[in-house]
Amino acid sequence: MNSIGIYIHIPFCKQKCLYCDFLSFPEGMEQQALYFDALKKEIEISAGECEDYEVTSVFIGGGTPTSVEPSYIADIMGVLKGQYNLAENAEITIECNPGTADYKALRLYRDAGINRISIGLQSAKDNELLILGRIHNRKQFEECYKNARLAGFDNVNVDLMSALPGQTLRDWESNLEYVCSLEPSPEHISAYSLIIEEGTPFYEMYGENSGIRREHLLPLPDEDTEREMYHRTKEILEKNGYYRYEISNYSKSDRESRHNVRYWNGGDYIGFGIGAASLMKGIRYRNISELSNYVEAINKLDIFDILKAIRTEVQPLSKNEQMEEFMFLGLRMVRGVSCAEFERRFSCEMAEVFGEVIAELRGEELLEVTEDGIHLTDYGLDLSNYCMAKFLL
Ligand code: SF4
């Protein structure tokens, strides 16, 4: 039986962070209730499409899934357990923001079968959290972390963000050291650097055409400091028993995020809820992102028309597109991509298609060839955008 991952999008947040360009927003109880009714229905009517698949991972993300009534999440878990072939050891993750889940809620998630939690700390410094517009402080994170452990979560990710306004190299190092010093320390750490996205308040403040005078803002770290932060991340986390398995993701042995590894491996996944993306049998699509249109389509249309109405940007990937994706997603991972797997999927040798690029990047010491595949060197991972672009056909 083939395997699949499921992504479930919960778009609600208590308030919008200043840097955030995810599909997320605050919303009242009534809209939330309508959304969960529709979401449950979408998951139920999609079960038939997934009946030949074993579900090996589920990721409940957002938004802030823990900001809604926990029984909504338990309900969804009930549908998955009842109507999908959920693998016995499936990795089931929920994203959580500190200040939105107490012990009782965390216990309920755990009892519902969720076995991994990803906590958005972002910074261990209250002044940095304030600058980001986060709703929580460090104390609330500590409470949340402790409660997650007490509730039985033995697979915990903590998200951190570097290159924040006013952040020094030492500030960043101490954030990493703080997370590593938690008792017990998290099994997984994601460490991304802040990106100033268009359409966010941060873009107004820090974007190229910002009208705000720079002396009125805390400065973003310069490029050299940002690079240094990136290098120190690896050094500090490796010293503390984590290994890097993807450009920005570190884990203890055997605790990689199986759901994310599926994305990077080009495996099938199906997304439910507004804005959720799917890739199944070489076809990519995305759900519509307007909450009211989504709810209306699901409530008003005939069952056979619902999925057609809520799925948009449906794009069958050509063989070339699939090969490109296989390379540039797979090369995000430190172990790289396997030649045998490439041949199995595309019935041709990797060297036939990408031989020249591989030789070029190898010559620049950006890539190494091993017995069973290729992977980027540390230097190549540093320049990953440059390397990935080379694999476009
Ligand atoms: S909590 Fe996450 S999803 Fe919600 S607004 Fe902040 S960054 Fe965006």
Side-chain angles (χ1 to χ4, degrees):
M1 190 182 261
N2 286 331
S3 67
I4 196 166
I6 290 180
Y7 174 78
I8 298 173
H9 191 68
I10 314 297
F12 309 114
C13 282
K14 295 271 183 210
Q15 77 178 27
K16 194 82 179 160
C17 301
L18 298 173
Y19 60 91
C20 176
D21 78 329
F22 298 128
L23 180 57
S24 65
F25 38 81
E27 198 50 274
M29 301 300 251
E30 208 179 307
Q31 289 300 313
Q32 291 189 9
L34 289 172
Y35 183 71
F36 276 96
D37 266 357
L39 179 63
K40 201 166 145 186
K41 198 158 168 195
E42 184 198 356
I43 298 174
E44 283 168 349
I45 60 179
S46 305
E49 273 178 305
C50 299
E51 66 188 2
D52 296 333
Y53 287 95
E54 180 177 50
V55 179
T56 53
S57 67
V58 177
F59 196 99
I60 305 169
T64 307
T66 50
S67 69
V68 301
E69 185 52 52
S71 59
Y72 286 137
I73 305 291
D75 258 14
I76 300 273
M77 282 302 299
V79 178
L80 293 180
K81 284 190 215 164
Q83 302 185 29
Y84 287 74
N85 305 311
L86 210 49
E88 211 176 304
N89 64 346
E91 175 193 89
I92 305 176
T93 306
I94 188 163
E95 280 190 319
C96 167
N97 282 311
T100 61
D102 57 13
Y103 171 78
K104 207 170 133 213
L106 292 161
R107 186 70 233 179
L108 196 137
Y109 301 136
R110 191 67 197 87
D111 290 344
I114 297 170
N115 51 26
R116 184 171 184 271
I117 188 161
S118 176
I119 308 178
L121 168 62
Q122 314 310 352
S123 167
K125 295 187 175 48
D126 289 348
N127 63 323
E128 290 179 352
L129 291 168
L130 213 62
I131 288 167
L132 291 172
R134 304 284 300 181
I135 55 162
H136 64 91
N137 56 33
R138 170 159 152 176
K139 191 161 174 284
Q140 285 169 305
F141 164 77
E142 282 168 2
E143 250 172 61
C144 177
Y145 189 81
K146 188 182 78 193
N147 283 333
R149 291 302 194 185
L150 281 175
F153 284 97
D154 62 3
N155 197 1
V156 179
N157 169 60
V158 174
D159 281 341
L160 279 176
M161 204 184 267
S162 63
L164 309 184
Q167 191 175 51
T168 63
L169 177 60
R170 187 60 211 129
D171 290 333
W172 173 240
E173 289 171 338
S174 75
N175 281 344
L176 291 167
E177 282 154 4
Y178 165 76
V179 173
C180 294
S181 73
L182 291 165
E183 278 291 340
S185 55
E187 284 68 30
H188 189 285
I189 298 175
S190 294
Y192 288 93
S193 59
L194 171 70
I195 299 187
I196 307 293
E197 302 281 4
E198 229 175 310
T200 63
F202 263 21
Y203 190 79
E204 299 301 312
M205 295 153 78
Y206 291 102
E208 273 162 26
N209 300 322
S210 163
I212 299 177
R213 295 212 347 242
R214 290 300 155 97
E215 60 265 35
H216 294 152
L217 294 172
L218 283 171
L220 291 170
D222 60 32
E223 226 173 276
D224 287 346
T225 311
E226 210 182 314
R227 282 273 110 203
E228 190 63 11
M229 286 175 171
Y230 173 79
H231 289 128
R232 288 294 289 146
T233 304
K234 184 166 182 272
E235 284 167 16
I236 292 173
L237 293 184
E238 286 188 347
K239 199 176 81 199
N240 283 281
Y242 296 88
Y243 80 97
R244 175 159 77 159
Y245 69 98
E246 192 266 349
I247 298 172
S248 308
N249 284 282
Y250 295 79
S251 84
K252 293 190 177 168
S253 138
D254 239 11
R255 295 303 190 120
E256 301 98 343
S257 159
R258 278 158 38 199
H259 189 78
N260 285 345
V261 167
R262 164 174 292 284
Y263 290 143
W264 298 318
N265 275 338
D268 282 349
Y269 55 89
I270 185 164
F272 300 126
I274 56 171
S278 305
L279 175 65
M280 279 177 85
K281 299 183 178 143
I283 299 176
R284 174 187 305 294
Y285 59 87
R286 180 176 292 283
N287 278 2
I288 53 176
S289 51
E290 260 288 311
L291 190 143
S292 52
N293 294 348
Y294 173 80
V295 168
E296 193 178 306
I298 292 184
N299 286 335
K300 297 220 172 118
L301 291 177
D302 186 271
I303 200 159
F304 300 104
D305 295 327
I306 290 176
L307 296 180
K308 229 189 304 163
I310 61 170
R311 292 176 179 176
T312 139
E313 301 172 33
V314 181
Q315 182 200 6
L317 297 180
S318 66
K319 185 175 171 187
N320 275 5
E321 284 168 330
Q322 291 185 44
M323 288 194 288
E324 286 170 358
E325 286 208 359
F326 178 86
M327 299 306 283
F328 62 67
L329 288 176
L331 286 172
R332 292 187 62 88
M333 287 189 294
V334 171
R335 69 164 177 265
V337 291
S338 146
C339 293
E341 180 58 20
F342 185 93
E343 203 172 330
R344 191 189 69 75
R345 287 196 199 189
F346 304 114
S347 310
C348 61
E349 285 185 23
M350 190 188 284
E352 261 175 61
V353 188
F354 295 111
E356 267 179 42
V357 181
I358 292 172
E360 186 188 332
L361 294 177
R362 201 179 179 190
E364 295 174 82
E365 297 183 358
L366 293 163
L367 179 147
E368 271 170 12
V369 177
T370 58
E371 233 172 65
D372 55 347
I374 62 165
H375 63 87
L376 295 183
T377 57
D378 272 359
Y379 178 42
L381 287 166
D382 275 10
L383 301 180
S384 57
N385 287 344
Y386 165 80
C387 298
M388 309 308 187
K390 297 270 179 192
F391 287 92
L392 292 175
L393 291 169

